[in-house]
Amino acid sequence: ANTLKMHTRDSDIKARLGGDEFIVMILSNSESFIDEWSQDIVQSFNNFCNKVSTDAGLGVSYGAAVFKYDSQYTLQEMISIADKKMYVHKKKSK
């Protein structure tokens, strides 16, 4: 949670979905900003995990969905898209 706070702006929406899953809604019109932000936060989480313990098997996986202003997706559909991408990322990380 602290890492998310450090890497988000007041205008971004942060929430805990449950357990160890969080959602961040970043207000930006740039997909490259989202890609850079994702890489930056993953690096920060990995640095934190490496400092805490190498035996705990801690890691981070993420999924991102970009909501266009003219999108027909609901919020729940956007979360579902990001969740599916997160599981793809998780499988690649193992």
Side-chain angles (χ1 to χ4, degrees):
N2 288 334
T3 301
L4 285 176
K5 287 179 186 176
M6 290 187 316
H7 288 277
T8 53
R9 305 163 297 185
D10 289 341
S11 61
D12 299 327
I13 300 167
K14 305 156 277 286
R16 183 177 178 189
L17 283 179
D20 60 353
E21 292 188 3
F22 293 84
I23 186 168
V24 178
M25 295 178 69
I26 298 172
L27 306 175
S28 173
N29 61 358
S30 169
E31 286 186 50
S32 63
F33 175 82
I34 303 302
D35 291 338
E36 291 171 19
W37 182 86
S38 297
Q39 291 173 9
D40 187 40
I41 194 134
V42 166
Q43 185 62 48
S44 292
F45 276 122
N46 287 336
N47 290 342
F48 172 78
C49 292
N50 289 335
K51 288 178 187 174
V52 173
S53 173
T54 57
D55 298 333
L58 297 173
V60 62
S61 298
Y62 71 93
V66 177
F67 183 81
K68 303 282 186 180
Y69 72 93
D70 59 350
S71 175
Q72 300 298 313
Y73 290 119
T74 65
L75 177 59
Q76 190 59 42
E77 289 170 327
M78 294 298 294
I79 292 171
S80 180
I81 291 168
D83 195 49
K84 288 175 185 170
K85 289 181 180 183
M86 184 268 305
Y87 279 104
V88 169
H89 184 259
K90 186 179 277 194
K91 283 183 179 182
K92 287 181 182 179
S93 299
K94 290 186 176 184

